[in-house]
Amino acid sequence: MNFLFLFLDGVGLGPNNPQTNPLAAAEMPVLQSLLGGRKMLESAAPFQGPHATLLALDPNLGVAGIPQSATGQAVLVTGRNVPAEVGLHFGPKPNREIAHILDDGNIFKTLNDAGRRATLLNAYPPRYFEAIASGKRMYSSIPHAVTAGGIRLKTERDFYSGEGMAADFTGQGWREHLGYKDAPLYEPEQAGQNLGRLAQKYDFAFFEFWISDYIGHYQDMPGAVEMLARFDRVLSGLLDVWDPHTGLIFLTSDHGNMEDLSTKRHTTNPVPGLAIGAPALRRGFTTQLRDLTDVTPAICRFLGV
């Protein structure tokens, strides 16, 4: 069995308002076909179709305030109610207490200890590792969990060899923002095919897409609509190569943000729990999904760990 975790930072389920919600404004034919013609809005969940299941998951977890990245991501990879344990929603980077929870155990460590092949597909440039080593930068919760689990982060070499993915899927950011003029560059559909082929080499593969959260904070409607259309093309390529009978694709987020561009802040909206695969695989995985704490236990059950 293969499991691909598509993490879209800062994407909630919002109202059908194309003035403020790019998920209502963007045309995403591939995603909409999975959802029976529906857009990924609060009104679309719950949904059960031939190829996909959409649930609304609670990121608030009974804790006052607005969900934040460090705690939300830590919940997703540990299955623990981290905001309740530390007493608040916290972010963007983990503090010492959250880091200790991630070190104590997470999905990457659990799977690695069980002899399963687990990885974070994102590749990082040398300057990222240099900033971490110098103390000028901290790991966010996801790469912290990966390294705490004894798994190597992918590097520039992995990206160039095709064993790692650019954060924007296509590699355009490596050329335009990082200055790698010879970096591999893919059309979105090609990038999706690469993602699928690479993910199916592992039992558990995680991809972190943080650009959605940045767009939300900048309240960039044109950028959001363009990004969502490009993501839909990536999804098209991914589905072309994915075997739905032997693996599951799961898309979710840590908190809402981009679905409400009337504000720069995160939201308390539910987040999507979108499972793509054969009906029997989806039924077993989604049965007990209610909030973010349920995700890691569901993955472990799916992979038999």
Side-chain angles (χ1 to χ4, degrees), residues 22 28 33 49 59-60 77 89 105 114 121 127 140 144 153 168 191 199 205 212-213 216 227 240 242-243 283 293-294:
M28 303 180 71
S33 69
N60 300 287
V77 296
H89 297 287
L121 295 174
R127 67 185 70 176
S140 59
H144 187 115
L153 293 178
D168 63 356
S212 45
D213 193 47
M227 181 273 289
D240 281 345
W242 189 262
D243 185 346
R283 278 195 299 271
T293 65
D294 299 323

Side-chain angles (χ1 to χ4, degrees), residues 5-161:
F5 195 133
L6 280 178
F7 171 68
L8 270 59
D9 196 335
V11 176
L13 292 174
N16 186 13
N17 183 351
Q19 301 303 313
T20 59
N21 185 357
L23 287 156
E27 289 302 321
M28 303 180 71
V30 177
L31 181 58
Q32 288 169 227
S33 69
L34 291 173
L35 297 177
R38 300 163 177 83
K39 295 191 174 185
M40 199 166 69
L41 307 171
E42 61 183 3
S43 58
F47 170 81
Q48 186 80 250
H51 307 291
T53 300
L54 177 65
L55 301 174
L57 303 181
D58 174 27
N60 300 287
L61 304 176
V63 177
I66 299 175
Q68 300 296 326
S69 295
T71 42
Q73 292 168 28
V75 174
L76 284 171
V77 296
T78 64
R80 293 165 62 171
N81 189 337
V82 180
E85 291 188 37
V86 303
L88 77 166
H89 297 287
F90 186 86
K93 301 295 176 67
N95 60 16
R96 185 173 299 179
E97 193 173 1
I98 298 168
H100 178 72
I101 291 171
L102 292 167
D103 292 339
D104 188 46
N106 64 73
I107 185 68
F108 294 98
K109 186 177 190 304
T110 297
L111 295 175
N112 196 34
D113 289 349
R116 303 301 177 90
R117 294 199 70 202
T119 192
L120 175 62
L121 295 174
N122 298 69
Y124 297 88
R127 67 185 70 176
Y128 175 84
F129 295 101
E130 292 164 3
I132 294 291
S134 70
K136 294 180 180 178
R137 184 169 190 162
M138 294 174 58
Y139 285 134
S140 59
S141 287
I142 302 303
H144 187 115
V146 174
T147 56
I151 297 171
R152 179 183 68 86
L153 293 178
K154 293 186 181 294
T155 66
E156 171 191 11
R157 180 176 296 180
D158 294 303
F159 174 55
Y160 272 79
S161 68

Side-chain angles (χ1 to χ4, degrees), residues 8 131 134 144 177 181 196 226 289-290:
L8 270 59
S134 70
H144 187 115
H177 302 297
K181 302 303 182 185
E226 180 183 356
L289 287 185
R290 301 291 183 272

Side-chain angles (χ1 to χ4, degrees), residues 285-305:
F285 177 74
T286 60
T287 298
Q288 299 180 45
L289 287 185
R290 301 291 183 272
D291 62 46
L292 298 192
T293 65
D294 299 323
V295 173
T296 279
I299 296 170
C300 288
R301 286 193 300 270
F302 180 81
L303 293 175
V305 176

